[in-house]
Each structure stands twice: as C-alpha cells, then as structure tokens.
C-alpha cells in the first residue's frame, strides 16, 4: 500500500532529529502511522541517518534540515500538524516559537527553558500545545513522582523526604569496560555533567556543591534489583519543590547514579580542567592526548614521565586505579587524537563516543528510583519506587526506548484528540501523566514499590 497520492487526507507528523535518542520514537510512530492515519517525516542534518531510521516504511520519508536556516525549518513545520522535536536544546525556543506562530503542536524530551514557559499564554490563544520534558529524565521521572506523591497524600501521608535518582548504565553481570559505563546518549552531556554545580535540601538545610567538588560528594545508594551504586547530586533540586508541591519537605534531592568508582575518576578529569568549552586550542586534532593533558599541568611540572607528573599534580597514586583507567581511556597516547572541534570538552566528547561506545552485544539498563519518607499520624514509612528497563543485545537500547516512548505516546494522544490542553506544559499535570503512565505500563514500563516502617530513632536523610 502507498499513501503518496493521498497525503492531503492524512495528518503529518514531523520528527526533528534522528540521533541516538530518536530510533525508538521513529520506529513507534511509523508502526502506528496507518492506525493513526498519519504520515511521518524524519528530518535531520544527516539525511542518510534519517533515511536509515525510516527504512522502507510506506508512511515515512526522510528529508534534510538545517535548523539554523529558519526558512527551511518554517517550511517543514508549516506542512505538519504535529512536531516532535529531538534536536539539540539550543534549537528548542526557535522550534517552539515557529510552532506557536503557525498554530502547531510541539512535543519535546528536552528541559523546558524559560522562554518556552513564557509562551504559555500565546500558545493558548493560538490553540497550540507545547509539551516539554516527556522523555526519561526529564519525563517518566516527573510522571511517576507526581503519581507517587498523589497516592501517598490520598492515604493521609505528610511527606518529609523526597529523593529521585536516575541513571543509564550497563546491565550488571555482563562484560563491561574498566569504567563500567557505556555512552547511550549525547556524550557531551556526560562530559559537561555538573558544570553549574548542584544544590539540594537535607534536614531543612540548603547544601550547595561546586563543579570541582561535585564528584567528591558522592554517597552509596542501594538500588533494589541492582545492588550498591554511587550517587551524586544533580543540578538544582530546590526548583522541584514548587514543581511537585513539596515546599514543606525537610529533604529534597535529585541524584545521578553510577557504578562505584566512576566519580573518583571523573572528579580528577574535572579538577584537571578537561570539561572546558570556552578555550579554543589551535590545531587540536593534530595534537596527541598526551600533549593535551600536558597543557593542563603547571609549567614547572617537567622532567618526569607524564603519568607521574599528573599523579603528583592531582595528588593521587601514580600506580593506582585512577591512573590505570585514564591510561585505558587513552589520555597518555602519543598519536594524534583526531578529535573534531577546538576545545578540550569537544575532544573529551569525541573520546567518550569512541571509547565508551556500547558494543554490538552489549546491553544498557535504565534506572529510575524515587525514595520517599512520609508520616502517617506518627508512623513513618520509607517508600522505594523503582523502574528498571534493559536494552536488547544488538537491538534497541533501553535509553532510546525510555526517552522516545513517552514522546511517541504524547504524539499518539494528540493525534487521537485525547489531550484537552493548550499552552506550555510538562507532564506534572494529571491530564498528561495519568494516561501516559497507563500507556507506559501497557508497554512494560512499570515501577515496583517497597515500603518499610521506620523506627522512632531512625534518621530520614
């Protein structure tokens, strides 16, 4: 069957971006296209990648797009009924503005920035719905958190502590690299993690952590079904108090999870200064990693082997695990790094993309875990709500599925006229999170809960 001759009769979905997070989204909407009476256009700067995602789907096409060319972008949006934006967050405002001006709906997994938030009134007047933060984190974390908080309050509980943890790591028990990490999303986000530091609330006190100290402030966290992991604070946890209606909690925390050992290595790369997107290094691609590392050492650190000088500067063991893992990464190699770009952050991003790539037989795992302590008329309970999703060897990653599926489900609800909303939103509204959680459960994305009564003298933090 072909729909080429009857495109005017179907609704058009425009997917902007075909990168690492988009394959499940594209696959899902192409599978649903006939039932939804829709046609899917996938647009990316790399049209070959977009075509590979579309394959031979009869209700899909691949086109090239340069999001910096406003006329090209506007032309694609104009002929769409719905835009699903999976491009870099730097384009979010431009795409949202174009959608509102043309009276189109937009769905995105990216964080909603202030400019998109401020489009709420205009979007309502235009009859447009802008839904941001419908991916994994942000996305499923919002929905599951609001559902859990709502249910605890319906039981009469007063929430004392709320902590939320997220992660994408290799499946435990399977072969993995020395850093015990695979890059299954934008590696730039890994390189620049924590660049603005973090703040959170514990026992009623605000704690602020700078970038240089962030990976030193990790702590142990036991994940049901996985085991011990290390956590470090993620961005601004305080902003989620009002968002989740938790202004009165004593502890409010959002954290990132890694296998133990990650933070001690990454802390040294941050201390050295490698995650730097400002300083441009001449002829970077021609220089070796050893030469680049030497640039970050004091000028009086000469006359000793590079590894020894680095260890002395960072005050770590020259024969310890950290140096060994840096050596495995290739940071002391004498051959040209061939990294594209001009900054050390871009070089490090390139290194992670190549060195920490998920192997063909490897599987990733996504973790979301909410920890809540509530008081029920003097009886305090600790509730753990955990979601684990594992990828398929040689197939879809868990990261792509859990980022792409919520956005695809929002698109489907919009095409079925099941979302009576306009304006700018994230999925903390029950009209959004209730049907989405139900649809996610049908796809096997579910949370398991454990509840335990705390003793009178047991701390909640």
């Amino acid at each position: 069957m072909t729909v080429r001759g009857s495109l005017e009769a179907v609704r058009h979905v425009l997917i902007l971006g075909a990168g690492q997070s988009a394959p499940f989204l594209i696959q899902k909407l192409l599978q649903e296209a006939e039932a939804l009476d829709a046609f899917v256009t996938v647009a990316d700067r790399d049209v070959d990648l977009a075509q590979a995602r579309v394959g031979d789907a009869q209700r899909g096409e691949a086109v090239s797009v340069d999001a910096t060319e406003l006329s090209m972008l506007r032309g694609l949006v104009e002929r769409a009924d719905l835009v699903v934006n999976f491009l870099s967050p730097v384009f979010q405002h431009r795409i949202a503005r174009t959608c509102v001006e043309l009276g189109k709906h937009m769905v995105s997994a990216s964080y909603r920035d202030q400019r998109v938030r401020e489009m709420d009134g205009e979007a309502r007047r235009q009859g447009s719905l802008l839904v941001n933060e419908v991916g994994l984190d942000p996305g499923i974390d919002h929905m599951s958190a609001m559902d859990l908080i709502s249910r605890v309050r319906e039981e009469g509980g007063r929430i004392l502590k709320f902590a939320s943890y997220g992660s994408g790591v290799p499946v435990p028990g399977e072969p993995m690299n020395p850093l015990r990490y695979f890059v299954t999303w934008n590696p730039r986000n890994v390189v620049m993690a924590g660049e603005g530091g973090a703040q959170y609330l514990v026992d009623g006190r605000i704690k602020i952590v700078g970038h240089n100290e962030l990976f030193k402030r990790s702590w142990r966290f036991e994940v049901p079904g996985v085991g011990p992991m290390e956590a470090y604070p993620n961005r601004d946890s305080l902003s989620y108090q009002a968002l989740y209606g938790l202004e009165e909690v004593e502890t409010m925390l959002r954290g990132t999870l890694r296998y133990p050992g990650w933070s001690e290595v990454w802390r040294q790369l941050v201390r050295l200064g490698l995650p730097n997107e400002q300083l441009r290094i001449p002829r970077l691609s021609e220089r070796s990693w050893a030469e680049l590392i030497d640039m970050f050492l004091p000028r009086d650190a000469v006359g000793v082997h590079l590894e020894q000088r680095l260890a002395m500067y960072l005050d770590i063991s020259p024969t310890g695990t950290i140096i060994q893992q840096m050596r495995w990464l290739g940071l002391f190699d004498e051959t040209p790094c061939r990294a594209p770009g001009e900054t050390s952050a871009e070089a490090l991003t390139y290194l992670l993309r190549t060195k920490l790539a998920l192997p063909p037989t490897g599987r990733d795992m996504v973790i979301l875990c909410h920890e809540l302590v509530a008081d029920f008329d003097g009886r305090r309970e600790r509730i753990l709500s955990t979601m684990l999703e594992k990828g398929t060897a040689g197939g879809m990653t868990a990261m792509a599925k859990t980022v792409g599926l919520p956005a695809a489900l929002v698109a489907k609800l919009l095409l079925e006229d099941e979302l009576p909303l306009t304006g700018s939103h994230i999925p903390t509204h029950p009209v959004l999170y209730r049907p989405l959680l139900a649809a996610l459960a049908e796809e096997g994305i579910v949370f398991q809960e454990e509840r335990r009564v705390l003793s009178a003298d047991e701390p909640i933090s």
Side-chain angles (χ1 to χ4, degrees):
M1 170 185 173
T2 179
V3 296
R4 295 290 178 182
S6 57
L7 288 182
E8 294 299 322
V10 303
R11 287 163 297 179
H12 286 67
V13 179
L14 171 64
I15 299 176
L16 294 170
Q20 275 186 301
S21 298
F24 191 89
L25 162 74
I26 296 168
Q27 180 185 96
K28 181 70 173 175
L29 287 179
L30 286 171
Q31 289 173 347
E32 300 273 359
E34 185 170 357
L36 294 170
D37 195 19
F39 187 84
V40 179
T41 297
V42 179
D44 194 278
R45 180 187 290 270
D46 184 348
V47 70
D48 291 334
L49 176 61
Q51 183 59 61
R53 302 290 194 215
V54 172
D56 58 359
Q58 294 181 334
R59 286 181 173 257
E61 66 175 353
V63 300
S64 176
V65 67
D66 182 347
T68 65
E69 294 290 337
L70 188 56
S71 60
M72 179 187 296
L73 181 65
R74 189 178 184 89
L76 287 172
V77 173
E78 198 163 18
R79 67 187 185 96
D81 297 291
L82 167 65
V83 176
V84 185
N85 172 29
F86 266 48
L87 292 178
S88 166
V90 299
F91 299 112
Q92 178 187 154
H93 174 257
R94 173 176 293 182
I95 294 164
R97 166 58 57 197
T98 304
C99 287
V100 170
E101 289 175 353
L102 296 173
K104 311 293 185 177
H105 301 309
M106 185 198 78
V107 178
S108 175
S110 295
Y111 282 99
R112 179 176 61 167
D113 69 22
Q114 185 60 30
R115 294 175 298 177
V116 176
R117 183 191 303 269
E118 292 170 353
M119 291 183 201
D120 181 67
E122 187 178 353
R124 291 175 191 270
R125 290 189 294 273
Q126 291 285 84
S128 295
L129 175 60
L130 308 176
V131 187
N132 278 81
E133 305 187 22
V134 278
L136 168 66
D137 178 358
I140 299 176
D141 59 338
H142 289 328
M143 306 176 217
S144 52
M146 293 303 295
D147 178 66
L148 177 60
I149 291 166
S150 175
R151 288 189 286 108
V152 167
R153 284 178 170 157
E154 287 173 1
E155 295 175 30
R158 180 172 65 89
I159 299 170
L160 306 176
K161 172 184 180 178
F162 183 85
S164 182
Y165 299 91
S167 185
V169 292
V171 171
E174 296 192 0
M176 59 182 77
N177 57 55
L179 286 175
R180 306 177 73 189
Y181 189 76
F182 295 136
V183 173
T184 53
W185 57 316
N186 186 347
R188 185 263 174 192
N189 294 342
V190 179
V191 170
M192 302 308 298
E195 62 177 318
Q199 66 175 354
Y200 58 96
L201 185 73
V202 58
D203 295 332
R205 296 177 298 162
I206 295 175
K207 309 302 291 183
I208 298 176
V209 189
H211 188 201
N212 282 351
E213 288 292 302
L214 189 69
F215 297 97
K216 183 181 180 181
R217 305 276 190 96
S218 62
W219 61 92
R220 177 189 172 106
F221 185 78
E222 192 85 17
V223 177
V226 179
M229 302 193 76
E230 65 180 28
Y232 61 85
N234 183 13
R235 303 195 191 199
D236 179 13
S237 298
L238 303 187
S239 64
Y240 289 83
Q241 286 184 272
L243 190 64
Y244 292 170
L246 295 174
E247 291 89 343
E248 302 303 317
V249 295
E250 299 169 15
T251 296
M252 183 76 194
L253 171 68
R254 282 171 59 87
T256 298
L257 298 173
R258 295 286 184 264
Y259 286 122
W262 169 270
S263 291
E264 64 180 359
V265 176
W266 202 259
R267 179 187 174 227
Q268 303 307 327
L269 299 183
V270 170
R271 287 184 64 208
L272 191 61
L274 281 173
N276 186 310
E277 293 186 309
Q278 305 304 317
L279 300 178
R280 303 189 179 281
I281 301 170
R283 306 189 319 278
L284 175 59
S285 65
E286 302 171 18
R287 301 181 186 276
S288 69
W289 269 106
E291 186 178 1
L292 180 60
I293 295 300
D294 185 66
M295 292 178 188
F296 287 88
L297 297 179
R299 64 181 184 178
D300 59 351
V302 296
V304 183
H305 191 274
L306 177 61
E307 293 184 23
Q308 183 78 29
R309 286 188 284 123
L310 178 62
M312 290 172 62
Y313 174 64
L314 296 175
D315 194 23
I316 60 176
S317 169
T319 57
T321 302
I322 296 173
I323 288 291
Q324 291 176 20
Q325 292 185 343
M326 288 181 175
R327 186 185 306 121
W328 177 84
L329 274 173
L331 296 181
F332 309 125
D333 289 356
E334 297 285 356
T335 54
C337 69
R338 295 189 173 85
E342 301 175 287
T343 69
S344 57
E346 289 174 302
L348 191 54
T349 298
Y350 171 77
L351 182 67
L352 296 193
R353 180 182 288 114
T354 54
K355 198 71 175 179
L356 299 184
L358 184 69
T361 58
R363 293 194 300 155
D364 69 322
M365 176 178 67
V366 161
I367 303 169
L368 282 180
C369 187
H370 303 306
E371 180 189 16
L372 187 150
V373 176
D375 182 274
F376 297 88
D377 293 326
R379 186 188 80 256
R380 297 182 305 161
E381 287 190 15
R382 179 177 184 256
I383 304 170
L384 279 181
S385 179
T386 307
M387 182 272 286
L388 303 177
E389 178 68 21
K390 298 176 182 178
T392 304
M396 194 66 65
T397 65
M399 184 65 71
K401 179 178 179 179
T402 52
V403 172
L405 178 57
L409 293 174
V410 174
K412 182 180 178 182
L413 289 170
L414 275 167
L415 293 172
E416 294 173 335
D417 297 320
E418 294 292 335
L419 287 181
L421 282 177
T422 56
S424 177
H425 294 273
I426 63 173
T428 54
H429 195 298
V431 171
L432 283 166
Y433 74 73
R434 284 174 180 163
L436 286 173
L437 285 175
L440 286 167
E442 291 180 2
E443 298 281 349
I445 307 295
V446 295
F447 283 75
Q448 304 295 328
E449 287 188 13
E450 297 180 5
R451 300 177 74 138
R452 179 174 66 85
V453 176
L454 300 181
S455 61
D457 59 348
E458 195 167 350
I460 69 168
S461 58

